[in-house]
Amino acid sequence: MSLLFGNDRRGQYPDSWYAATARPLPVAEPLRGHLTCDVCIVGGGYTGLSTALHLARQGASVLLLEAHRVGFGASGRNGGQLGSGQRLDQGTLERMVGPEAARRLWDLSQDAKELVGELIVRHRIDAALKPGIAHACRTRAALDHEWAEAERLHRLYGYDKLEGFDGPGIAALTGSERFVGGTLDHGAGHLHPLRFALGLARAALKAGVRIHENTLVTGVEEGTQPLVRTEAGKVRAKAVVLAGNGYLGGLDGRVAARVMPINNFIVATEPLDDFPEILPSDVAVADSNFVVNYWRRSEDNRLLFGGGESYGYRFPRDIAALVRRPMLTIYPQLADARIDCAWGGTLAITMRRMPYFAQPRPGIWAAGGYSGHGVGMAVLAGRILSEAIGGKTGDFDLMASVKQPAFPGGVALRMPLLALAMTWYSLRDRLGL
Ligand SMILES: Cc1cc2nc3c(=O)[nH]c(=O)nc-3n(C[C@H](O)[C@H](O)[C@H](O)COP(=O)(O)OP(=O)(O)OC[C@H]3O[C@@H](n4cnc5c(N)ncnc54)[C@H](O)[C@@H]3O)c2cc1C
């Protein structure tokens, strides 16, 4: 099944609370005919838009091709959490790549948050960026790990923005009795993801990027002057960037083997004026489940809650019912709350849960597989890719040095294998292990 078209209407944003509260750009014309440019970018999410913006600022001529609308993909639908660090904690990274590279990966993750903030200010993006992500632990073992990691970040990385909470403390912060404790990361934040993506697109257009929407890329031929084919045209470029992430499909076999799409789901409740105990300080939260739940308040006082398990690529018929289940384990007081909209999106994971940066073929660059941590890292990927294409490859080489093996089972069998593994882990979540 094509994830680009299987769950969505062509050229339209999903019916999300985000789409209902964002100001879309005028629709850009599809590409027709034969064009040339310095860099051609496939995909108009954070990765593609940030790459385009950074390249255009360096003076390159840039063409961005998007199958639907800019911000159509995960970038316009996500939980909006701008987390600290990489997707893996620093202890795990130190064991995986050694202390020195782990330190540089931490520094890059700090750059990612800073870059998002800078772009919002510089381009006056109405992304409603707010501080604070709490990590709420369901078990004593998860809490011990959380506090040990906070101590490590303080001692070895000088990061002093994590505040610890015991059971009553986390209950006061979240309005839920479900957790044994946690942390609040004052250096992390949350934002309106679609408005942020649209703001990046406006900035890219202003910087001279040519954007074509409703333009499906059907093939990319490698070479010193790679060729990009679309349904109604083609582009000859000096370099091509594959920024399709979970929606990229089989456009490049090497990327497809390592970057695996998975779906995730969010609901928006009715405005919750009668529940002042839920997130009184307006922070976002993620819990310690393997199948993670995440939530925050919207500007109009709804609960935006993400979670729920579903394997296979077709969205479930009743997304609201799927997500309501974990939501009620945390907030049973919302049993009668109406759900006003529910939507799904496709992100991408890698085997080692670190992003995949590569030059899969001559003239072709790729970044993706942020494993649920792309709000910052995909934006930073844009800067890293633009620098690498311009010849400054230090950060790209560091990210690419975290090798990503292909998923076992190949493109056909990896989803059933993942479903099997996830069923096991979600059982553990339910048993509180
Ligand atoms: C429900 C959900 C919640 C999430 N929550 C968080 C969160 O809270 N924090 C966090 O850090 N991350 C989160 N993520 C992940 C995050 O959204 C992604 O990592 C990030 O948006 C990836 O950006 P991207 O530009 O690489 O991909 P996308 O935003 O998916 O963009 C890819 C684009 O490429 C286009 N495209 C693909 N193939 C083609 C083609 N052949 N031709 C033309 N165009 C093509 C697609 O149409 C799409 O618009 C979440 C994801 C989802 C789905």
Side-chain angles (χ1 to χ4, degrees), residues 100-119:
E100 199 183 311
R103 168 90 227 188
R104 288 176 63 205
L105 289 168
W106 168 261
D107 290 345
L108 279 185
S109 78
Q110 293 290 87
D111 288 355
K113 287 187 300 183
E114 208 173 295
L115 178 61
V116 169
E118 255 175 48
L119 289 167

Side-chain angles (χ1 to χ4, degrees), residues 78-402:
N78 63 62
Q81 298 204 3
L82 176 61
S84 298
Q86 301 283 346
R87 170 67 174 74
L88 298 180
D89 62 44
Q90 287 304 119
T92 308
L93 280 175
E94 286 170 15
R95 287 191 294 280
M96 189 187 272
V97 297
E100 199 183 311
R103 168 90 227 188
R104 288 176 63 205
L105 289 168
W106 168 261
D107 290 345
L108 279 185
S109 78
Q110 293 290 87
D111 288 355
K113 287 187 300 183
E114 208 173 295
L115 178 61
V116 169
E118 255 175 48
L119 289 167
I120 287 174
V121 171
R122 181 199 279 236
H123 300 291
R124 298 201 183 91
I125 301 176
D126 55 348
L129 177 61
K130 294 173 189 164
I133 298 182
H135 293 134
C137 298
R138 284 177 174 254
T139 63
R140 190 67 230 180
L143 185 59
D144 289 347
H145 179 82
E146 183 70 23
W147 282 349
E149 188 60 17
E151 190 276 324
R152 175 194 299 276
L153 286 178
H154 194 209
R155 183 169 38 91
L156 297 179
Y157 295 83
Y159 190 69
D160 58 2
K161 297 197 164 65
L162 282 163
E163 185 183 352
F165 287 88
D166 59 9
I170 203 83
L173 190 71
T174 60
S176 169
E177 301 288 330
R178 187 68 188 77
F179 305 105
V180 297
T183 58
L184 174 59
D185 184 352
H186 294 278
H190 54 107
L191 49 67
H192 189 304
L194 180 58
R195 285 198 213 142
F196 179 49
L198 295 174
L200 290 179
R202 286 192 182 92
L205 285 168
K206 226 172 168 181
V209 174
R210 288 172 286 166
I211 295 181
H212 293 282
E213 295 183 307
N214 292 308
T215 298
L216 173 68
V217 171
T218 53
V220 179
E221 290 168 24
E222 68 204 56
T224 45
Q225 296 264 300
L227 183 73
V228 175
R229 293 186 188 281
T230 73
E231 286 169 307
K234 50 191 170 182
V235 179
R236 183 70 74 185
K238 292 180 191 148
V240 172
V241 175
L242 300 178
N245 203 38
Y247 294 92
L248 192 65
L251 218 50
D252 184 283
R254 217 180 147 72
V255 178
R258 288 164 179 79
V259 173
M260 172 175 175
I262 57 166
N263 294 331
N264 202 263
F265 305 96
I266 303 184
V267 298
T269 65
E270 64 183 315
L272 295 179
D273 301 333
D274 296 339
F275 298 92
E277 80 281 10
I278 298 181
L279 304 179
S281 53
D282 206 9
V283 298
V285 191
D287 75 6
S288 59
N289 262 8
F290 186 84
V291 181
V292 70
N293 298 298
Y294 51 95
W295 62 98
R296 63 198 180 105
R297 286 242 184 201
S298 67
E299 289 155 64
D300 56 356
N301 222 11
R302 300 166 191 276
L303 190 68
L304 303 178
F305 189 98
E309 300 148 35
S310 155
Y311 308 111
Y313 283 130
R314 181 78 56 194
F315 284 179
R317 217 177 275 277
D318 192 348
I319 295 176
L322 179 87
V323 182
R324 184 191 283 275
R325 226 169 291 140
M327 184 178 88
L328 293 187
T329 68
I330 294 166
Y331 294 117
Q333 62 268 49
L334 297 184
D336 295 325
R338 197 178 66 233
I339 286 183
D340 281 347
C341 58
W343 64 96
T346 302
L347 62 148
I349 57 172
T350 60
M351 276 288 282
R352 301 175 88 188
R353 303 297 189 268
M354 284 291 287
Y356 178 61
F357 280 66
Q359 256 195 296
R361 290 181 278 150
I364 300 173
W365 302 75
Y370 307 101
S371 305
H373 208 66
V375 170
M377 278 312 291
V379 178
L380 185 74
R383 187 171 87 191
I384 293 176
L385 286 164
S386 72
E387 286 172 356
I389 291 168
K392 189 176 158 223
T393 60
D395 290 342
F396 179 88
D397 291 344
L398 172 65
M399 294 306 299
S401 72
V402 185

